[in-house]
Amino acid sequence: MARAAIKGLPAEQYADIWRHAVELQKTHLNTTIDIKYFPRPNSQSKPKFMRFYCFLGPLKREFKEECWPLLALDSYCTKGTYPGQLLTAIGANLNNG
Protein backbone atom coordinates (compact mmCIF):
# COMPACT_ATOMS: atom_id res chain seq x y z
CA MET A 1 0.00 0.00 0.00
CA ALA A 2 2.89 2.34 0.80
CA ARG A 3 4.47 1.83 -2.63
CA ALA A 4 1.13 2.52 -4.33
CA ALA A 5 0.68 5.69 -2.25
CA ILE A 6 4.15 6.99 -3.22
CA LYS A 7 4.47 5.88 -6.84
CA GLY A 8 0.86 5.27 -7.83
CA LEU A 9 -0.59 2.12 -9.29
CA PRO A 10 1.26 0.38 -12.15
CA ALA A 11 -1.71 0.90 -14.48
CA GLU A 12 -1.47 4.66 -13.86
CA GLN A 13 2.28 4.60 -14.58
CA TYR A 14 1.72 2.79 -17.89
CA ALA A 15 -0.85 5.45 -18.83
CA ASP A 16 1.94 8.09 -18.59
CA ILE A 17 4.25 6.27 -21.00
CA TRP A 18 3.40 8.55 -23.94
CA ARG A 19 4.22 11.63 -21.84
CA HIS A 20 7.58 10.07 -20.89
CA ALA A 21 8.33 9.31 -24.55
CA VAL A 22 7.72 12.95 -25.53
CA GLU A 23 10.04 14.17 -22.75
CA LEU A 24 12.79 11.75 -23.83
CA GLN A 25 12.58 12.99 -27.41
CA LYS A 26 12.73 16.63 -26.26
CA THR A 27 15.80 16.14 -24.07
CA HIS A 28 17.72 13.64 -26.24
CA LEU A 29 17.86 14.64 -29.92
CA ASN A 30 17.54 11.89 -32.54
CA THR A 31 16.00 9.47 -30.04
CA THR A 32 13.97 6.65 -31.56
CA ILE A 33 10.91 5.53 -29.60
CA ASP A 34 8.27 3.02 -30.62
CA ILE A 35 5.31 2.20 -28.38
CA LYS A 36 3.07 -0.75 -29.14
CA TYR A 37 -0.28 -1.26 -27.51
CA PHE A 38 -3.30 -3.51 -27.83
CA PRO A 39 -6.19 -1.97 -29.77
CA ARG A 40 -8.96 -0.36 -27.74
CA PRO A 41 -12.15 -2.43 -27.60
CA ASN A 42 -14.22 0.77 -27.75
CA SER A 43 -13.64 4.51 -28.08
CA GLN A 44 -14.13 5.17 -24.33
CA SER A 45 -11.43 2.79 -23.09
CA LYS A 46 -7.71 3.56 -22.86
CA PRO A 47 -5.20 1.59 -24.97
CA LYS A 48 -3.44 -1.24 -23.12
CA PHE A 49 0.37 -1.06 -23.14
CA MET A 50 2.19 -3.92 -24.90
CA ARG A 51 5.86 -2.91 -25.39
CA PHE A 52 8.25 0.04 -25.49
CA TYR A 53 11.38 0.44 -27.63
CA CYS A 54 13.80 3.29 -26.95
CA PHE A 55 17.22 4.07 -28.46
CA LEU A 56 18.53 7.34 -27.02
CA GLY A 57 20.07 9.71 -29.58
CA PRO A 58 23.40 10.29 -27.78
CA LEU A 59 23.86 6.54 -27.30
CA LYS A 60 23.00 5.93 -30.95
CA ARG A 61 25.69 8.41 -32.07
CA GLU A 62 28.35 6.96 -29.77
CA PHE A 63 27.46 3.41 -30.72
CA LYS A 64 27.95 4.19 -34.42
CA GLU A 65 31.21 6.08 -33.87
CA GLU A 66 32.94 4.24 -31.05
CA CYS A 67 31.69 0.67 -30.64
CA TRP A 68 33.09 -2.48 -32.09
CA PRO A 69 30.74 -4.44 -34.33
CA LEU A 70 30.00 -6.76 -31.43
CA LEU A 71 26.59 -7.07 -29.86
CA ALA A 72 25.46 -9.10 -26.92
CA LEU A 73 21.81 -9.58 -26.07
CA ASP A 74 20.58 -10.04 -22.55
CA SER A 75 17.04 -10.72 -21.41
CA TYR A 76 15.25 -10.80 -18.10
CA CYS A 77 11.84 -12.28 -17.38
CA THR A 78 9.64 -10.13 -15.17
CA LYS A 79 7.01 -11.56 -12.88
CA GLY A 80 4.20 -10.13 -10.81
CA THR A 81 1.21 -8.10 -11.93
CA TYR A 82 2.67 -7.41 -15.39
CA PRO A 83 4.77 -10.39 -16.48
CA GLY A 84 6.94 -9.95 -19.52
CA GLN A 85 10.50 -9.78 -20.77
CA LEU A 86 13.15 -7.04 -20.76
CA LEU A 87 15.61 -7.32 -23.67
CA THR A 88 18.87 -5.30 -23.73
CA ALA A 89 21.49 -4.95 -26.46
CA ILE A 90 25.06 -4.39 -25.29
CA GLY A 91 28.19 -3.35 -27.18
CA ALA A 92 31.84 -2.65 -26.30
CA ASN A 93 33.79 0.53 -27.16
CA LEU A 94 37.43 0.80 -28.26
CA ASN A 95 38.57 0.86 -24.60
CA ASN A 96 36.72 -2.43 -24.06
CA GLY A 97 34.17 -0.60 -21.88
Side-chain angles (χ1 to χ4, degrees):
M1 289 188 316
R3 183 180 300 164
I6 293 170
K7 294 186 176 183
L9 298 172
E12 294 169 354
Q13 292 177 15
Y14 281 121
D16 279 345
I17 202 152
W18 285 270
R19 185 176 57 84
H20 295 304
V22 169
E23 286 300 317
L24 280 172
Q25 288 177 323
K26 278 186 200 174
T27 57
H28 299 82
L29 298 177
N30 298 320
T31 294
T32 303
I33 294 178
D34 187 25
I35 301 171
K36 297 292 184 200
Y37 54 90
F38 293 105
R40 298 185 297 183
N42 57 51
S43 60
Q44 285 77 29
S45 64
K46 293 181 180 179
K48 185 177 176 188
F49 174 76
M50 187 187 321
R51 66 179 164 252
F52 179 85
Y53 167 82
C54 177
F55 194 178
L56 296 174
L59 293 176
K60 190 186 303 185
R61 184 186 69 244
E62 288 298 316
F63 189 82
K64 287 179 181 177
E65 294 174 5
E66 300 291 331
C67 285
W68 294 338
L70 166 71
L71 250 174
L73 295 177
D74 190 17
S75 68
Y76 174 76
C77 292
T78 59
K79 298 177 180 158
T81 306
Y82 299 98
Q85 200 170 34
L86 175 66
L87 182 64
T88 306
I90 304 163
N93 64 12
L94 299 176
N95 294 327
N96 204 24

